[in-house]
Amino acid sequence: SFPTRRSSDLSCLNSYSQREGKGAEMMMKGALFDLDGVLADTASLHFKAWRKLAKENFGRSLPDELENKTRGISRSDSLSVILDYLEITVSKAKFHRLAEEKNQIYRNFLTDLSPDEVLPGMRDFITDLRKKGILTALASASQNGPFILERTGLSKYFNAIVDPSKIEAGKPAPDIYLAATAALELSPKECVGFEDAVSGIQSLKAAGIVSVGIGSDHEVGQADLRFSSTGDINFDDVEEIWAEITNNA
Ligand code: BG6
Ligand code: MG
């Protein structure tokens, strides 16, 4: 059977071709990333923007628990969740205006966005993955993804960026992560995904991709492996859980 602790023999691998497995053994070849709350410290700004929108348009406050429910899902899906909570029905045109206004508020919060907003350890972690020959893709629901990658200086670390506007069913459906594996020309089994949202973990699971959650048990307890914060992510632990799941399946 396949050994699960392979950190020592991996440390000498430094190119994609060297990561070809021997015989039928599989190697981890792709890392798929969510953006907000995984790479960039922008997750809470989305909910801050929704709160401002609800206050300004309806004079209403939003409870903390809505943050977890809107994390990871598209702008329009988030707006539906919020309007449901508020028990407010709006016309299609008004819905569109509200979504647009939320994005304006959110973009204003990003005015000073810089490499300082890369979450702790993530630049080094991706650099290390790439040195090991692992391909990287962005699978974020955010249409602001390319802008945020540019402003934080992270664009150059990605082999592929999925355009969420071309994905019919958003997270928790598997589509966006399947599109990311396809963009890297890898199978879901060869990849691992990093997420801070319940919807994102569900999306990875539905796609058959090993999932790493970042956050509390309440937020990402369903993940195959969980780290409390990005600073705790450790390649050997990720590789070990990936090998264990993939080679025992
Ligand atoms: C996700 C966030 O990354 O992007 C969600 O977790 C957000 O909260 C979604 O709704 C869509 O973002 P945007 O930038 O397209 O409104
Ligand atoms: Mg996220």
Side-chain angles (χ1 to χ4, degrees):
S1 79
F2 198 78
T4 51
R5 287 200 177 272
R6 300 167 51 250
S7 46
S8 54
D9 48 285
L10 267 176
S11 58
C12 64
L13 297 178
N14 56 17
S15 80
Y16 184 59
S17 60
Q18 280 174 291
R19 295 191 60 80
E20 295 298 331
K22 294 183 223 105
E25 289 173 358
M26 283 184 73
M27 300 288 285
M28 195 173 89
K29 291 180 185 169
L32 319 175
F33 290 89
D34 174 50
L35 174 64
D36 299 309
V38 170
L39 296 167
D41 194 7
T42 43
S44 63
L45 299 180
H46 280 287
F47 196 59
K48 203 175 148 194
W50 287 122
R51 280 198 149 136
K52 193 161 191 277
L53 184 88
K55 187 53 89 198
E56 287 176 2
N57 284 273
F58 308 112
R60 301 275 301 272
S61 312
L62 302 177
D64 291 347
E65 74 252 25
L66 270 190
E67 179 162 13
N68 212 13
K69 293 199 177 122
T70 52
R71 194 177 290 138
I73 63 176
S74 71
R75 195 181 308 162
S76 54
D77 287 350
S78 299
L79 180 54
S80 297
V81 168
I82 285 160
L83 291 174
D84 274 358
Y85 166 80
L86 296 172
E87 296 182 323
I88 289 171
T89 314
V90 296
S91 68
K92 252 189 162 173
K94 172 95 179 177
F95 187 95
H96 186 76
R97 280 202 302 278
L98 288 168
E100 198 42 51
E101 190 181 331
K102 183 269 178 179
N103 195 45
Q104 288 310 320
I105 298 170
Y106 177 63
R107 289 292 293 234
N108 282 339
F109 292 154
L110 300 183
T111 311
D112 298 324
L113 189 67
S114 78
D116 291 346
E117 276 72 44
V118 175
L119 283 164
M122 291 313 278
R123 187 185 305 273
D124 287 348
F125 181 65
I126 302 191
T127 303
D128 190 40
L129 288 178
R130 290 173 62 88
K131 274 194 199 138
K132 289 175 158 73
I134 292 171
L135 299 174
T136 52
L138 188 78
S140 167
S142 175
Q143 306 198 29
N144 293 297
F147 167 79
I148 292 173
L149 285 189
E150 267 320 304
R151 285 284 290 269
T152 52
L154 291 175
S155 305
K156 63 178 182 201
Y157 299 99
F158 286 89
N159 297 104
I161 295 171
V162 178
D163 178 355
S165 68
K166 304 234 155 60
I167 305 292
E168 221 164 280
K171 299 171 189 179
D175 308 35
I176 191 163
Y177 277 107
L178 291 175
T181 64
L184 297 180
E185 298 184 10
L186 295 174
S187 74
K189 278 188 103 182
E190 292 174 307
C191 297
V192 62
F194 297 87
E195 264 292 348
D196 71 322
V198 177
S199 58
I201 299 294
Q202 288 168 343
S203 172
L204 284 164
K205 288 197 172 265
I209 297 166
V210 171
S211 57
V212 177
I214 294 142
S216 68
D217 193 47
H218 170 63
E219 289 155 345
V220 288
Q222 291 177 34
D224 294 314
L225 177 65
R226 182 178 72 80
F227 295 102
S228 300
S229 64
T230 57
D232 300 328
I233 297 181
N234 169 291
F235 178 81
D236 292 345
D237 291 349
V238 171
E239 164 96 332
E240 181 180 324
I241 195 83
W242 180 89
E244 223 170 84
I245 294 169
T246 308
N247 294 295
N248 290 331

